Amino acid sequence: MNANCLIVQSGGPTAVINNSVVGLIDEMIFSGFKGKIYGSVGGIKGLIQENFFELNKLNIHERNGLRWTPGAALGTCRYRLSESETIKIVEMLKRYHIHYFFYIGGNGSMKVAHMIYEVANKMGYYLSVIGIPKSIDNDLLETDHSPGYGSAAKFLATSVLDMKMDVASYPHSNKVTIIETMGRHTGWLAAACSLAIHEDDDSQTLIYIPESPFYIDDCIKKITEASKDNLSTFLIVAEGIKDENEQYINRENMEYDVLNRPKLGGISSFLEKTINLRTGIQARSIVPSVWQRSSVLLSSKIDVKEAYIIGKEAWKYAEKEYSGIMIGMDREYNDEGDYQIFFSPRQLLKVAGKEKFVPKEWYDSQKNRMSKEFIHYVKPLIQGEMIIPMRNGLPNYQRVI
């Protein structure tokens, strides 16, 4: 009997996550894989409930359509997996003769993948478990960056640039615009907005990331000084910024999700009220929310390409009988200084449940700006534009479930 394969998408979607699924399927078909390629409908819950979709049924046109479709085409969820459920999952995989298991997700997902890998080993069941990274937060260890980040970075930087052009339409404006980005513990997304800062800006831009304490008095002082010079201010704040005591800035009435993590968001509206109250300067808050991870029209072509290739690489390592690994990306520059990425296996254990933070030396906590080193790091990740097929003036997306 042929060995079968199962693909799971997990955690928050990105604009390019479906490219990894398509790259994986394309490479399996190209290699002559004879088994069934299952997709778990609804992430880990679909896995527990044995709710599968046969991805072999997708023709080449449908697969290509997924390459410009945002969101998790197979469905996703956030769920805390127990050890007993992990055992049941491996027993179910045995019934379906699934020997190839691919998990697309962030650091929490890599932890789940590692749990399944360990249980399968203990049960003596051969299962090639391979993690495929994705994260707009860019907080996965053992990889230069995560697929999904480049597109979210491009969207946010473009959005800030657009807003700056709008504010510049009103000479001598001293208003404050607060943009709240995602980023629970890391500031990679907020940092990307530094791409929209130029020397000839007629406004000041202040970036605040969770890796550095947020001082409200210093922030208000800088806003007030800019206002006196008839300069507007852009505050870029990651949702997870904290004060010098490691306390969330907007910690009052905080709720928690199914993983017992604080439900963040709302820091921009908190700052808006505080600035208005303490300075009298007009402030407004803008929350891109899920838009920053779902805008395929502003996706990065290099991000799309890398997400697709990493799916192909995952199958190549599975064919070589690798297991308990995540596909990592390594950056190099050729003799002409051109950016290049190479792929290599990393142990899931080194990635599972861990976070990669913005290096402290890449952030100027006095000027609240990113360094030239960060700009050099992020610029290659936002290059290129996607041409999205349209129908009746709107993007022509492809659905699976």
Side-chain angles (χ1 to χ4, degrees):
M1 182 175 289
N2 290 323
N4 297 321
C5 159
L6 180 63
I7 304 171
V8 184
Q9 292 178 314
S10 186
T14 77
V16 303
I17 186 173
N18 296 322
N19 280 274
S20 296
V21 175
V22 177
L24 179 51
I25 298 171
D26 283 355
E27 189 64 25
M28 293 180 79
I29 292 173
F30 176 78
S31 72
F33 180 73
K34 301 300 182 183
K36 290 184 177 180
I37 306 173
Y38 294 111
S40 177
V41 178
I44 194 71
K45 287 186 178 178
L47 188 57
I48 294 170
Q49 298 164 0
E50 300 184 29
N51 187 5
F52 300 154
F53 177 89
E54 288 191 33
L55 294 168
N56 309 64
K57 296 179 179 180
L58 295 176
N59 61 43
I60 190 169
H61 300 292
E62 291 169 327
R63 296 200 304 274
N64 283 339
L66 288 176
R67 295 203 60 189
W68 58 76
T69 298
L74 302 177
T76 184
C77 70
R78 297 187 190 279
Y79 184 79
R80 186 180 294 277
L81 189 68
S82 67
E83 186 174 349
S84 61
E85 287 173 323
T86 308
I87 294 172
K88 290 179 180 179
I89 285 173
V90 175
E91 290 173 343
M92 177 272 297
L93 295 175
K94 289 175 67 175
R95 291 199 310 274
Y96 280 83
H97 302 283
I98 292 168
H99 288 283
Y100 301 101
F101 184 81
F102 299 92
Y103 213 88
I104 306 172
N107 44 34
S109 300
M110 296 305 119
K111 185 176 181 179
V112 171
H114 184 255
M115 287 171 61
I116 292 173
Y117 164 72
E118 285 198 317
V119 169
N121 277 348
K122 288 178 183 178
M123 294 173 63
Y125 180 66
Y126 176 74
L127 185 66
S128 176
V129 179
I130 296 183
I132 301 175
K134 70 88 206 161
S135 171
I136 66 165
D137 290 326
N138 199 39
D139 58 355
L140 277 156
L141 289 173
E142 299 294 313
T143 185
D144 176 81
H145 58 278
S146 301
Y149 173 64
S151 292
K154 187 182 183 89
F155 170 83
L156 285 168
T158 303
S159 298
V160 172
L161 195 58
D162 288 348
M163 287 182 241
K164 285 190 171 187
M165 298 304 294
D166 182 89
V167 169
S169 303
Y170 301 89
H172 310 300
S173 171
N174 63 352
K175 295 180 181 179
V176 178
T177 302
I178 309 160
I179 298 102
E180 177 181 325
T181 73
M182 290 180 173
R184 177 176 296 274
H185 299 136
T186 63
W188 295 101
L189 285 170
C193 296
S194 60
L195 291 167
I197 299 176
H198 301 290
E199 292 182 2
D200 59 350
D201 278 359
D202 51 3
S203 60
Q204 77 165 341
T205 303
L206 306 174
I207 296 175
Y208 296 98
I209 60 177
E211 288 86 347
S212 183
F214 175 75
Y215 298 96
I216 185 68
D217 291 337
D218 179 69
C219 176
I220 287 179
K221 178 183 178 182
K222 289 174 179 175
I223 290 170
T224 303
E225 290 175 351
S227 177
K228 290 177 181 177
D229 294 331
N230 287 320
L231 288 177
S232 58
T233 296
F234 284 84
L235 295 186
I236 315 297
V237 294
E239 62 183 356
I241 58 172
K242 298 179 180 180
D243 61 22
E244 65 273 23
N245 298 315
E246 286 290 305
Q247 298 294 312
Y248 288 113
I249 303 302
N250 58 327
R251 56 188 173 273
E252 294 183 10
N253 304 316
M254 188 166 282
E255 298 178 354
Y256 294 81
D257 64 16
V258 294
L259 299 179
N260 200 33
R261 300 179 306 183
K263 288 185 178 180
L264 302 181
I267 180 62
S268 56
S269 59
F270 170 82
L271 290 175
E272 177 185 347
K273 294 175 184 176
T274 303
I275 292 166
N276 286 334
L277 182 65
R278 291 182 56 175
T279 69
I281 300 170
Q282 185 177 348
R284 59 183 172 186
S285 57
I286 298 169
V287 184
S289 188
V290 297
W291 198 6
Q292 62 202 282
R293 71 186 188 197
S294 64
S295 177
V296 74
L297 288 172
L298 282 177
S299 61
S300 153
K301 190 172 183 179
I302 194 69
D303 193 25
V304 172
K305 178 183 177 182
E306 290 177 351
Y308 178 76
I309 294 175
I310 206 169
K312 293 171 72 71
E313 291 292 320
W315 176 245
K316 291 177 183 178
Y317 279 102
E319 280 193 301
K320 296 174 185 175
E321 299 186 349
Y322 277 79
S323 187
I325 64 162
M326 182 192 81
I327 309 300
M329 297 196 287
D330 301 300
R331 176 188 305 225
E332 291 185 14
Y333 292 91
N334 62 21
D335 294 338
E336 288 73 40
D338 297 324
Y339 160 90
Q340 299 178 103
I341 280 292
F342 297 91
F343 302 88
S344 60
R346 309 296 166 83
Q347 292 183 2
L348 279 173
L349 183 61
K350 293 184 177 180
V351 186
K354 300 178 176 67
E355 291 178 302
K356 178 177 70 177
F357 300 98
V358 176
K360 290 183 179 180
E361 62 269 22
W362 284 5
Y363 181 69
D364 186 334
S365 59
Q366 300 300 312
K367 296 181 179 179
N368 307 116
R369 286 195 176 190
M370 305 310 299
S371 69
K372 291 181 179 179
E373 288 79 9
F374 173 79
I375 300 297
H376 180 71
Y377 165 83
V378 75
K379 262 189 177 180
L381 311 185
I382 68 163
Q383 298 305 310
E385 290 70 48
M386 285 292 291
I387 299 175
I388 310 299
M390 311 292 280
R391 182 173 62 185
N392 296 324
L394 294 174
N396 186 17
Y397 295 145
Q398 175 71 48
R399 295 188 70 104
V400 172
I401 59 173

